[in-house]
């Protein structure tokens, strides 16, 4: 058997080939005219390599192409400085403060759906607007620019996975220009002592280097960019994947209607079974010997969370979707130094979305399984037709 993340069958069902990788090919080499990378799949291999940040570096980006270090897309010490800077926005206190906003917004979106005839698209009308409006609020930019945000976020993702990132240069520039304008405006307001919101934009605009200089604009923009993309498509996919799997087998939906205490484990099982980020890359800084193979220095290494989440050495009956599974540590938010800073926000949004849907749309059902989103390393539905009547 051969395996490739770009194979049409694997694109349609990323669960295809996990067993082959885990059992027979724990160090896989992909080569084409555009890309070359190694793939690691076993839970224990990902666990040790994601912790070994000296050898498996983040200095050249999370995608299959090599990029320049910027913002948090790098190794410590720079990574540590920037991560500490934004961490307060994701503290348990900040997340709890966000809860009423998420509840209100989710209910408003459901009200809008109720104004229709009963058929609706769960991606377009709930799973997409919810995270993008929340992250826009956290970043301090107007939600009137929602559609632009969606476009830019999609482009950032396309750039990461593309063999030819240059072709997106123009759209990337318009996003940079937009964010620069907001960043400079906020800096000015802080300088002249105006009262400003204590959001992520303020944290980043007010940040200083150890020499009391403003941090480089390129790093500030990289962080804003990463927060926009990280906080957006991924959470949308969590919500669509979760609802899709629950409705695919209506007895699962019924179990949740009868017992809301299963909401937390259903979300964790969705993350394990259908990771919105199937895998991300590291860069080898030295030759590594693993399972009788050598990954040379200077190579891209794909950390395939999706396969690690199905490793039978860690998860019993890994290919069964079981909302009662006792949660174990899945890899869907990464591990170690770069563990997803936004995980509590994503969990909060998924929890509220599911609670509100169960409460207000108990008869929710699928009208189809929609379509997969495009980038090979992401997994979610970009359409999910449903009906609530
Ligand atoms: C279900 C939703 C989400 C998933 C599956 C997800 C997945 C991930 C993963 C796998 C990483 C690790 C990156 C690496 O190891 O290189 C990561 C990091 C990150 N995520 Fe998320 N994420 C989600 C939601 C969010 C949200 C809501 C935000 C922001 C509001 C966010 C912001 C970030 C940032 C800034 C990082 C970089 C952390 C660092 O390098 O220290 N993510 N995410």
């Amino acid at each position: 058997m051969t395996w490739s993340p770009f194979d049409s069958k694997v694109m349609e069902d990323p669960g295809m080939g996990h067993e082959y990788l885990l059992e027979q090919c724990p160090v896989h080499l992909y080569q084409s005219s555009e890309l070359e990378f190694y793939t690691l799949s076993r839970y224990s291999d990902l666990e040790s390599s994601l912790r070994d940040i000296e050898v498996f570096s983040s200095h050249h980006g999370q995608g299959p192409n090599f990029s320049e270090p910027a913002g948090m897309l790098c190794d410590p010490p720079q990574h540590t400085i920037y991560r500490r800077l934004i961490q307060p926005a994701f503290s348990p206190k900040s997340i709890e403060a966000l809860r009423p906003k998420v509840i209100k917004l989710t209910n408003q979106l459901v009200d809008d759906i109720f104004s229709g005839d009963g058929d609706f698209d769960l991606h377009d009308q709930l799973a997409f607007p919810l995270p993008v409006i929340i992250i826009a609020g956290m970043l301090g930019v107007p939600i009137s620019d929602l559609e632009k945000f969606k476009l830019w976020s999609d482009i950032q993702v396309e750039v990461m996975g593309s063999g030819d990132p240059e072709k997106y240069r123009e759209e990337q520039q318009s996003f940079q220009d937009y964010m620069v304008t907001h960043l400079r405006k906020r800096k000015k307001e802080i300088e002249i002592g105006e009262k400003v919101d204590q959001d992520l934009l303020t944290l980043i605009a007010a940040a200083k280097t150890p020499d009391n200089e403003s941090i480089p604009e390129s790093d500030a923009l990289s962080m804003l960019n990463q927060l926009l993309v990280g906080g957006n498509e991924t959470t949308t996919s969590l919500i669509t994947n979760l609802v899709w799997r629950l409705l695919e087998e209506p007895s699962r939906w019924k179990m949740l209607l009868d017992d809301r205490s299963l909401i937390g484990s259903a979300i964790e099982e969705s993350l394990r079974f259908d990771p919105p980020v199937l895998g991300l890359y590291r860069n080898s800084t030295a030759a590594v010997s693993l399972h009788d193979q050598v990954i040379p220095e200077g190579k891209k290494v794909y950390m395939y969370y999706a396969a690690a989440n199905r490793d039978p050495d860690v998860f019993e009956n890994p290919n069964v979707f079981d909302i009662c599974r006792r949660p174990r540590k899945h890899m869907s938010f990464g591990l170690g130094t770069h563990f997803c800073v936004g995980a509590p926000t994503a969990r909060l949004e998924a929890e509220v979305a599911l609670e509100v849907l169960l409460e207000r749309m108990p008869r929710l059902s699928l009208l189809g399984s929609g379509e997969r989103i495009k980038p090979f390393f992401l997994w979610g539905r970009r359409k999910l037709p449903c009906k609530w009547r």
Side-chain angles (χ1 to χ4, degrees):
M1 172 176 182
T2 54
W3 174 86
S4 149
F6 306 102
D7 184 293
S8 58
K9 288 197 191 110
V10 176
M11 286 289 287
E12 217 26 66
D13 174 11
M16 292 273 309
H18 286 165
E19 278 162 16
Y20 163 73
L21 290 172
L22 289 164
E23 284 165 23
Q24 295 175 45
C25 193
V27 181
H28 178 274
L29 173 61
Y30 174 85
Q31 278 174 312
S32 74
S33 55
E34 287 184 335
L35 293 171
E36 179 186 87
F37 55 84
Y38 289 82
T39 298
L40 298 184
S41 307
R42 289 188 185 163
Y43 192 95
S44 57
D45 290 339
L46 260 73
E47 201 172 25
S48 50
S49 47
L50 286 168
R51 291 198 192 286
D52 187 356
I53 59 171
E54 302 249 318
V55 173
F56 292 96
S57 157
S58 294
H59 230 55
H60 295 288
Q62 301 168 307
N65 299 299
F66 290 86
S67 59
E68 287 301 311
M72 280 185 297
L73 294 168
C74 59
D75 295 329
Q78 175 172 323
H79 171 267
T80 318
I81 297 168
Y82 288 143
R83 169 114 187 183
R84 280 201 190 127
L85 179 72
I86 60 158
Q87 193 77 52
F90 299 97
S91 69
K93 204 168 142 217
S94 306
I95 298 303
E96 268 322 294
L98 207 57
R99 185 180 288 271
K101 253 194 210 167
V102 177
I103 295 176
K104 189 166 169 221
L105 175 59
T106 309
N107 277 298
Q108 280 168 352
L109 293 168
V110 169
D111 289 343
D112 290 347
I113 296 171
F114 280 150
S115 67
D117 62 2
D119 294 1
F120 70 104
D121 193 285
L122 189 114
H123 171 276
D124 295 354
Q125 290 175 260
L126 179 70
F128 158 62
L130 177 61
V132 82
I133 293 173
I134 295 296
I135 193 67
M138 291 174 82
L139 289 176
V141 296
I143 58 157
S144 49
D145 292 330
L146 205 88
E147 285 303 325
K148 274 193 221 157
F149 258 54
K150 170 70 182 151
L151 177 75
W152 285 323
S153 161
D154 287 353
I155 283 164
Q156 303 307 327
V157 173
E158 294 267 335
V159 170
M160 255 177 89
S162 164
D164 179 15
E166 275 304 309
K167 70 177 183 210
Y168 302 97
R169 187 65 66 210
E170 208 174 296
E171 282 99 341
Q172 273 193 302
Q173 192 55 49
S174 63
F175 172 65
Q176 299 283 338
D177 295 344
Y178 176 91
M179 280 324 288
V180 164
T181 310
H182 279 281
L183 184 68
R184 291 187 185 160
K185 183 164 169 273
R186 184 60 61 88
K187 270 192 184 161
K188 189 107 230 134
E189 290 163 352
I190 298 170
E191 262 165 40
I192 59 174
E194 258 185 46
K195 196 169 170 337
V196 290
D197 289 338
Q198 288 311 305
D199 50 29
L200 275 163
L201 190 62
T202 295
L203 284 177
I204 294 172
K208 298 280 181 210
T209 65
D211 308 328
N212 212 26
E213 301 281 330
S214 284
I215 63 168
E217 208 162 61
S218 53
D219 285 338
L221 287 174
S222 163
M223 279 193 282
L224 291 168
N225 195 345
Q226 203 185 355
L227 285 162
L228 167 69
V229 179
N232 186 2
E233 174 117 49
T234 50
T235 315
T236 298
S237 296
L238 167 58
I239 298 171
T240 54
N241 290 343
L242 171 65
V243 174
W244 177 44
R245 287 286 179 217
L246 292 174
L247 295 179
E248 204 183 37
E249 179 48 67
S251 64
R252 295 177 186 147
W253 186 252
K254 170 90 177 45
M255 266 170 92
L256 281 167
L257 282 171
D258 293 343
D259 182 359
R260 308 290 159 92
S261 72
L262 292 172
I263 287 178
S265 58
I267 292 171
E268 294 312 304
E269 181 64 344
S270 167
L271 283 162
R272 181 192 74 84
F273 199 82
D274 291 307
V277 180
L278 295 168
L280 287 174
Y281 290 77
R282 293 293 186 266
N283 312 276
S284 60
T285 61
V288 183
S289 293
L290 196 61
H291 308 300
D292 300 327
Q293 287 210 51
V294 176
I295 301 175
E297 182 189 337
K299 296 294 174 190
K300 280 279 174 183
V301 184
Y302 188 41
M303 301 288 169
Y304 197 24
Y305 312 128
N309 283 352
R310 306 270 188 113
D311 188 333
D313 286 348
V314 180
F315 301 97
E316 210 173 301
N317 295 326
N319 295 320
V320 174
F321 183 88
D322 175 6
I323 62 170
C324 300
R325 187 182 288 275
R326 248 188 335 131
R328 297 230 27 201
K329 233 174 182 286
H330 56 69
M331 292 271 177
S332 302
F333 288 122
L335 186 89
T337 312
H338 293 273
F339 181 84
C340 177
V341 74
T345 323
R347 286 184 164 123
L348 169 70
E349 289 171 22
E351 185 191 312
V352 171
L354 191 51
E355 270 166 4
V356 172
L357 289 175
L358 287 163
E359 193 54 43
R360 299 188 62 192
M361 294 188 180
R363 289 159 173 266
L364 188 65
S365 61
L366 288 179
L367 290 172
S369 52
E371 284 167 46
R372 182 206 198 287
I373 54 173
K374 279 199 275 172
F376 76 92
F377 62 99
L378 298 181
W379 176 236
R381 319 303 301 163
R382 63 179 183 158
K383 288 279 168 208
L384 191 62
C386 290
K387 67 173 180 173
W388 53 266
R389 272 189 214 280

